[in-house]
Amino acid sequence: MMFEDEFKGRIFFVESPFQLMCILSDIDPLDRLIMRPTSKKIRDRMLNILKWDHSIENYSIYYSDYRIFKLLYIIIISFMLLISRQTLICIGNFNCKVAQIVRCLGRDRLLVFYDDGSGTFRILSEWDERPRIYFKTIFYNYFTNRQDILRNDIDLHSIKKTISKGEIFIIGTKLSENGLMSEVLYVELLNKVCSLFKNKSVIYCPHCEERLEKFQENNLEVQIENISCSVEEYLMHRSTTPEYIITMGSTAGLSLKLIFDYEVYYLKISDLVSDTKHLPNARSFFKKLESVYGFYKINELNLGD
């Protein structure tokens, strides 16, 4: 960032493992990291990332199952921002409550937003450039001719590994949990993938908030690989690389392609999803995401239908 060396003691706010991963190469010992995971599993994954990256020592983590905690957290952060002198605030989730507070209270501050999964594309497609607000993203080359887009090269110190021939890695999502797709249809798609690669070892890496009982209830037998960190960090520390990685509407497929140059394929789901309260234009959103896959040379997996 052209101006970041002018500021010391920045504050970073993150809520997910992917957001944390995106800020790792920027944060330094004088900065303060504040994490507010949305679930216990997400908290554990974020703490595991910090165990691998020993350079971050000045951090706080706020998590509780009690609803009153969310209100207390907002009050504490609002007070901290009012009295703090930091002029550069870095935030992982553009739509989180902290971001809304900062945009209200911090009009004289510089704000830098980092990647928050596929939501990055939706936000930047709808957002017009504004003074003192920047976006630092690994997808910088998709958005051209914009002064508010900054390049983020995530440094995971990746090394070339032996490709495990015959191993297929599927990245799980919360499509059914979020109401975008029924559990029956979701499992049916996975069954088709397993049938397509019936002579290979298919490994399913679930989203940390997925309901795993749906597989047994819908008669799907697949090897489940529960991990305690982000899928990017997990594959970085794994001894071998899967032959193929398959994504179902997950930005992890994009980050794995960009960071490691893995062979990634996507399942086309834009015609299969339903609108929800939080994603009222689901089909157009996933069509856009599929065009982004194409831009980064990620091909559609043909299921033979």
Side-chain angles (χ1 to χ4, degrees):
M1 191 185 306
M2 59 184 176
F3 48 73
E4 65 185 353
D5 291 336
E6 302 174 16
F7 303 94
K8 300 299 181 184
R10 301 164 295 181
I11 303 177
F12 287 78
F13 293 96
V14 295
E15 296 184 344
S16 73
F18 185 71
Q19 294 171 26
L20 177 58
M21 184 185 67
C22 286
I23 63 99
L24 286 180
S25 60
D26 282 351
I27 197 166
D28 66 45
L30 293 177
D31 297 328
R32 182 176 182 184
L33 170 63
I34 297 177
M35 301 181 291
R36 196 196 74 82
T38 55
S39 71
K40 183 178 182 297
K41 287 185 178 180
I42 289 178
R43 180 200 66 185
D44 294 343
R45 288 190 176 190
M46 296 173 78
L47 289 174
N48 270 288
I49 292 176
L50 292 180
K51 288 178 182 178
W52 284 332
D53 193 301
H54 299 288
S55 62
I56 300 178
E57 297 180 354
N58 186 17
Y59 71 86
S60 303
I61 186 163
Y62 296 87
Y63 171 75
S64 174
D65 289 326
Y66 294 103
R67 299 184 69 176
I68 188 64
F69 169 79
K70 294 181 180 180
L71 177 60
L72 292 174
Y73 172 76
I74 294 302
I75 293 173
I76 292 170
I77 295 302
S78 298
F79 180 74
M80 185 188 73
L81 290 172
L82 280 171
I83 65 174
S84 71
R85 296 184 178 182
Q86 282 88 355
T87 52
L88 177 59
I89 309 294
C90 304
I91 304 176
N93 181 358
F94 180 85
N95 291 314
C96 70
K97 289 293 183 183
V98 169
Q100 297 173 26
I101 292 170
V102 171
R103 292 203 296 271
C104 292
L105 301 179
R107 298 185 183 277
D108 59 338
R109 293 180 166 109
L110 288 171
L111 305 182
V112 180
F113 293 99
Y114 285 71
D115 284 313
D116 181 40
S118 55
T120 298
F121 297 98
R122 183 172 69 254
I123 293 166
L124 290 177
S125 297
E126 301 170 353
W127 180 264
D128 296 324
E129 292 186 45
R130 302 182 190 183
R132 308 180 72 80
I133 295 180
Y134 296 84
F135 293 85
K136 193 164 188 180
T137 172
I138 61 174
F139 311 117
Y140 62 91
N141 57 351
Y142 186 80
F143 302 94
T144 57
N145 302 318
R146 289 185 56 161
Q147 298 300 312
D148 62 336
I149 304 295
L150 306 172
R151 176 172 179 162
N152 188 11
D153 290 316
I154 298 177
D155 182 10
L156 290 181
H157 312 290
S158 57
I159 58 175
K160 295 295 182 182
K161 300 179 183 179
T162 301
I163 295 177
S164 180
K165 292 292 185 181
E167 188 175 69
I168 311 301
F169 203 85
I170 304 175
I171 302 172
T173 60
K174 295 193 299 178
L175 290 172
S176 58
E177 287 74 13
N178 287 340
L180 292 160
M181 178 183 295
S182 71
E183 289 187 347
V184 172
L185 178 55
Y186 188 86
V187 174
E188 181 182 331
L189 289 172
L190 290 179
N191 259 319
K192 290 181 178 180
V193 174
C194 292
S195 296
L196 185 65
F197 297 107
K198 59 185 177 182
N199 295 321
K200 298 180 183 291
S201 174
V202 179
I203 299 172
Y204 185 84
C205 180
H207 188 281
C208 60
E209 295 181 339
E210 247 185 294
R211 198 181 78 89
L212 300 184
E213 292 81 5
K214 64 187 176 187
F215 300 127
Q216 184 176 2
E217 293 170 1
N218 292 281
N219 301 315
L220 174 69
E221 291 188 7
V222 66
Q223 180 180 339
I224 303 292
E225 187 82 7
N226 279 309
I227 61 176
S228 59
C229 58
S230 69
V231 66
E232 293 88 354
E233 290 271 0
Y234 170 75
L235 288 173
M236 180 187 74
H237 290 274
R238 205 166 182 258
S239 59
T240 59
T241 297
E243 184 176 1
Y244 305 126
I245 293 174
I246 299 169
T247 178
M248 298 175 64
S250 170
T251 314
L254 285 166
S255 56
L256 291 172
K257 178 69 175 180
L258 291 172
I259 297 169
F260 299 109
D261 196 28
Y262 288 163
E263 188 163 356
V264 182
Y265 293 86
Y266 73 90
L267 289 183
K268 184 177 180 180
I269 60 171
S270 55
D271 295 329
L272 303 174
V273 294
S274 301
D275 294 344
T276 67
K277 178 182 178 180
H278 298 292
L279 193 59
N281 300 304
R283 291 196 175 193
S284 61
F285 170 76
F286 282 104
K287 283 185 184 294
K288 176 68 173 180
L289 182 58
E290 287 160 4
S291 72
V292 175
Y293 287 146
F295 178 84
Y296 287 108
K297 304 295 188 294
I298 297 177
N299 296 320
E300 178 186 351
L301 181 67
N302 186 354
L303 293 177
D305 295 329

